[in-house]
Amino acid sequence: MGTRSTMAISLERATNHIIRLHASIIPALDGNLKFYPMLDGAYITASSKASLETFLRAVFSKLASEFVQQKDVFNRFIPKASVSFGPVVHGDAITSDVNQAVSDQEKIKNSLLFGIPVISANEGEKKAPPFGIFIDNSARMFGPKPGDKFPFVWYNWTKNNSELSTNISNSIDEYFEWCKKNQNTITYSLDRIQAHSAMAKEYFQVNK
């Protein structure tokens, strides 16, 4: 979510987008997932590939449905995600032996997440297409068990649902046409609009 530019335009709009994203995430969580909300999104850790895939499909399907149904283009927003793999340290593992001050603060330590995969996921999100999911090299090379690797750079969350893929693709086209007409108002440069539009076209064409 591009909340930096969105917040510069309208704090109310950005807040609405973030709340809607988190509202889509929360019902999709299960016991194999941990949720770390951030300023403009969230980090999710998963103990299995299957749980992560189920989660991603649920969240993106809900957001896509809302995007298609939202007729006021100004109130639409584009989510993206990235998947990485590797060891992480959860803040709830911080004990008094590590740091007494942090250990005593449950809310603070439970919000902390450490590890190279966190950095990789953050960087990978920039490479994801609009409404798409980028797979970092770490998750394409390794997995928690044999066969758990992701095979491609982009993850197909619309697999076996060509109708949804077509509907969201058409709505995204409409959204970017609106962006072109309002590029100065929404501080979204034409070259970035064109680049993101081309990525979306390729992503959903591949996923049909």
Side-chain angles (χ1 to χ4, degrees), residues 176 180 189-199:
F176 281 123
K180 290 176 184 177
S189 64
L190 182 60
D191 61 327
R192 298 311 298 154
I193 294 172
Q194 293 173 332
H196 293 157
S197 177
M199 288 178 73

Side-chain angles (χ1 to χ4, degrees), residues 43-58:
Y43 289 114
I44 305 294
T45 65
S47 59
S48 74
K49 180 187 176 187
S51 290
L52 182 60
E53 289 182 293
T54 299
F55 168 81
L56 289 171
R57 286 194 295 268

Side-chain angles (χ1 to χ4, degrees), residues 19 21 87 92 95 99 122 136 153:
I19 290 173
L21 174 64
D92 60 12
T95 64
N99 186 289
N122 183 60
D136 180 69
V153 173

Side-chain angles (χ1 to χ4, degrees), residues 65-122:
S65 178
E66 291 181 359
F67 188 90
V68 171
Q69 294 173 20
Q70 176 57 259
K71 300 308 178 183
D72 184 352
V73 181
F74 186 76
N75 287 322
R76 288 176 171 175
F77 71 93
I78 301 283
K80 301 189 296 180
S82 175
V83 175
S84 61
F85 176 78
V88 294
V89 176
H90 298 273
D92 60 12
I94 298 174
T95 64
S96 58
D97 292 334
V98 176
N99 186 289
Q100 184 68 56
V102 176
S103 175
D104 289 343
Q105 299 296 320
E106 290 287 331
K107 289 184 178 180
I108 293 176
K109 75 174 186 177
N110 289 344
S111 69
L112 300 176
L113 181 66
F114 310 94
I116 292 177
V118 178
I119 300 172
S120 299
N122 183 60

Side-chain angles (χ1 to χ4, degrees), residues 31-50:
N32 297 308
L33 305 168
K34 285 193 174 183
F35 174 37
Y36 293 88
M38 306 298 292
L39 173 63
D40 61 349
Y43 289 114
I44 305 294
T45 65
S47 59
S48 74
K49 180 187 176 187

